[in-house]
């Protein structure tokens, strides 16, 4: 979150505690991946550069602070919080590495992807190595319940990815399935991060469940906001992102809604445009005309507004879930963060 | 092991206990993979057909019996033994699914591979789903120590696969590196299976370590025997398997030994033959002449004998490790099984 949010002055101590915690997480992450096998060390060294905003570890720490409820921020975060934050980031990074193989991506965070730098084989196994490291660290440093939760979430995520692959190019995708995929692929891990933070603070089942709900709702809202930014940005960017999604057979929420709500004539036109935009995307090009017309139809169908309202409702739900969490600066930080999910423009 | 070994009559009760245990393992395996998401259910249903000899789960059960030391074979195997046996098979199956992606294999156990039936993307994620399921089951049903051991072994295995990939096409591979790769890729999981069986019988550290050593030594011997069968079978089969290995840049122990021990002239000839056989293998063909000459050089260099002696020494070590295990029919079954590793002709 650092640098991403405008933080009110009275929340700066929380931000400082998070920054200090994240440094410990980075060290734990590196220590867990340390190996005396040179080719493995080269790969894990490369992958550590993927670490960006550290959103998920931040949620572990922040929910750890909020669930703890104390005011001594400097001592609130234990080694268990730090280890579980590293675990969640490792799981996330493993999915990035495997996603890059699936997407045949060549660039991530201005560096080469593992699959582009080496080959798909190496990228598949490196992802497996990261997952194994995550489980090893979790079972060593976390409680039995936390370890089960990590395995459970990994099952939810991978089943969600399989569900999405099964619906690739399914232009009749309904909203329920869309939400199930997003819940599984994006929201479950953020919810897990929040729950693990609470669990490491020994906050009790109720607060743990509330923070998990907070994380899950924010996670879905985050994805919808991504969907919206993909469709409402500048023409050039929009053509690229829409074409890429459609080439992969993926629908965003506004598209799902429009395809389900327009009449048969417009739906037919949309399908033709989708094919054209996807074909261009597959060839690494953009069909600006098709995308512009799609955007027009989607906007006129009220689907942009529909998606925006859904995201705002989810953020509202996330904030409501915080009601039973003790009123502390850390809780306020969570509230501010959830607003930022739908306010962001990037 | 069922059907693979000639079992002396007095060991039949052990075999019956294993057969009954394996049925429970199959049920536990299916229950863990059960899902209400149809596309995921279709895939896990397909993959369950991969289950073959169930070597690794058998080792969990057999070492559970041996470490327990009791004579009431019907009651010796607990739900924990059964769950851990399913875990080990799930880890193994995940590696098979990812290996098939790496090898672009199309057939496994007379059925299509997942990657051939669907696509590489689905196969990668299905492997991830199997791994997640394995960790979930292990952390739910096993002890903290067993869960850590599974994570640890998965790190050892994946790092070994990365090490092997880094040495692909390295015709100067030395024996130490060969053994490190085999230890990691094959032996570690069999050792884990044995150790988990002992742990679930609460046998104590010493017996657990002894049975792990037994499993690891048998595992390395098993791989060397595979290497030997690849090179000493009928001309037609040999041409195929040698060509396939070389096309993938993989060396077997006899080849490693020969390349390190022949003089510079013969080594040069070997490298030329290796290139030719690998090129044919890449094209799905065989270069029988090159392979026949390779076999001749390797045999004359004493490398077949060298590998055979290594395998036999390892089986001897495995049996020695059993010395501290209580003398029961289950232990005798372990002894007979280790002999079978080097006696097998398939």
């Amino acid at each position: 979150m650092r640098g991403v949010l405008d933080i009110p002055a009275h929340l700066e101590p929380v931000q400082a505690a998070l920054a200090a915690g994240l440094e410990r997480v980075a060290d734990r992450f590196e220590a867990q991946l340390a190996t005396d096998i040179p080719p493995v060390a080269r790969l894990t060294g490369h992958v550590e550069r993927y670490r960006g905003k550290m959103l998920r570890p931040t949620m572990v720490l922040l929910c750890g602070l909020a669930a703890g409820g104390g005011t001594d921020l400097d001592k609130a975060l234990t080694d268990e919080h730090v280890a579980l934050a590293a675990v969640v980031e490792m799981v996330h990074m493993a999915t990035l590495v495997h996603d890059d193989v699936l997407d045949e991506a060549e660039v991530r965070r201005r560096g080469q992807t593992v699959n582009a730098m080496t080959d798909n084989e190496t990228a598949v196994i490196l992802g497996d190595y990261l997952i194994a490291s995550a489980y090893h660290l979790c079972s060593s440093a976390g409680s039995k319940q936390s370890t089960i939760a990590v395995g459970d979430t990994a099952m939810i995520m991978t089943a969600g990815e399989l569900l999405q692959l099964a619906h690739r190019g399914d232009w009749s995708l309904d909203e329920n399935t869309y939400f199930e995929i997003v819940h599984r692929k994006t929201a479950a891990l953020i919810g897990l991060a929040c729950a693990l933070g609470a669990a490491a603070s020994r906050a009790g089942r109720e607060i743990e469940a509330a923070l998990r709900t907070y994380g899950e709702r924010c996670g879905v809202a985050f994805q919808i906001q991504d969907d919206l930014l993909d469709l409402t940005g500048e023409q050039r960017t929009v053509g690229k992102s829409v074409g890429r999604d459609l080439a992969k057979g993926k629908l965003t929420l506004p598209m799902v809604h429009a395809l389900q709500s327009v009449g048969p004539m417009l739906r037919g036109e949309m399908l033709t445009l989708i094919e054209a935009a996807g074909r261009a995307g597959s060839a690494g090009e953009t069909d600006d005309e098709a995308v512009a017309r799609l955007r027009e139809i989607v906007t006129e169908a009220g689907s942009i507004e529909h998606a925006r309202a859904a995201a705002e409702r989810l953020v509202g739900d996330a904030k409501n879930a915080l009601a039973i969490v003790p009123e502390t600066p850390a809780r306020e930080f969570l509230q501010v963060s959830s607003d930022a999910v739908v306010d962001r423009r990037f």
Side-chain angles (χ1 to χ4, degrees), chain A residues 171-251:
Chain A
W171 311 128
S172 304
L173 189 78
D174 58 49
E175 273 198 36
N176 280 345
T177 310
Y178 168 88
F179 278 110
E180 171 143 20
I181 291 171
V182 172
H183 170 78
R184 288 172 171 273
K185 281 200 57 185
T186 306
L189 186 59
I190 300 179
L192 172 73
C194 295
L196 289 178
S201 292
R202 314 281 176 262
R205 293 268 170 188
E206 247 190 303
I207 288 187
E208 192 182 318
L211 286 170
R212 182 192 291 273
T213 300
Y214 165 86
E216 288 176 350
R217 298 296 183 277
C218 284
V220 178
F222 191 92
Q223 182 58 53
I224 296 176
Q225 184 66 13
D226 253 10
D227 285 4
L228 282 165
L229 292 171
D230 266 7
L231 208 61
T232 58
E234 281 181 35
Q235 173 64 41
R236 232 197 106 61
T237 336
V238 170
K240 226 177 185 170
S241 57
V242 171
R244 202 175 43 218
D245 281 344
L246 294 177
K248 285 186 229 156
K250 283 185 197 169
L251 287 181

Side-chain angles (χ1 to χ4, degrees), chain A residues 54-276:
Chain A
M54 300 263 274
L55 169 73
R56 291 152 195 84
T58 304
M59 296 314 286
V60 176
L61 303 182
L62 187 49
C63 287
L65 293 175
T71 42
D72 188 354
L73 292 173
D74 291 339
K75 296 195 182 140
L77 295 176
T78 62
D79 286 343
E80 187 177 340
H81 288 105
V82 169
L84 293 174
V87 165
V88 169
E89 184 68 358
M90 240 169 251
V91 171
H92 174 57
M93 210 152 283
T95 66
L96 292 185
V97 171
H98 280 183
D99 277 356
D100 284 341
V101 178
L102 270 49
D103 293 345
E104 297 174 357
E106 297 195 346
V107 176
R108 180 172 291 279
R109 297 207 181 281
R110 297 202 186 87
Q112 272 189 303
T113 58
V114 177
N115 46 310
M117 186 178 75
T118 57
D119 46 52
N120 282 342
E121 287 90 327
T122 304
V124 170
I125 304 300
L126 181 64
D128 293 350
Y129 180 76
L130 290 168
I131 282 280
S133 304
Y135 284 114
H136 183 260
L137 178 55
C138 187
S139 52
S140 308
S143 69
K144 183 182 172 94
Q145 286 312 316
S146 295
T147 309
I148 295 175
V150 171
D152 190 41
T153 304
M155 286 181 73
I156 291 173
M157 292 170 72
T158 47
E161 183 88 46
L162 291 172
L163 185 63
Q164 181 171 55
L165 286 168
H167 282 282
R168 202 164 27 180
D170 170 10
W171 311 128
S172 304
L173 189 78
D174 58 49
E175 273 198 36
N176 280 345
T177 310
Y178 168 88
F179 278 110
E180 171 143 20
I181 291 171
V182 172
H183 170 78
R184 288 172 171 273
K185 281 200 57 185
T186 306
L189 186 59
I190 300 179
L192 172 73
C194 295
L196 289 178
S201 292
R202 314 281 176 262
R205 293 268 170 188
E206 247 190 303
I207 288 187
E208 192 182 318
L211 286 170
R212 182 192 291 273
T213 300
Y214 165 86
E216 288 176 350
R217 298 296 183 277
C218 284
V220 178
F222 191 92
Q223 182 58 53
I224 296 176
Q225 184 66 13
D226 253 10
D227 285 4
L228 282 165
L229 292 171
D230 266 7
L231 208 61
T232 58
E234 281 181 35
Q235 173 64 41
R236 232 197 106 61
T237 336
V238 170
K240 226 177 185 170
S241 57
V242 171
R244 202 175 43 218
D245 281 344
L246 294 177
K248 285 186 229 156
K250 283 185 197 169
L251 287 181
T252 57
L253 181 57
M255 297 280 268
V256 169
H257 179 263
L259 281 162
Q260 300 277 328
S261 52
V262 297
M265 291 285 288
L266 266 181
R267 190 167 194 279
E269 188 186 348
M270 282 187 78
L271 292 178
T272 310
L273 295 165
I274 283 172
E275 296 293 332

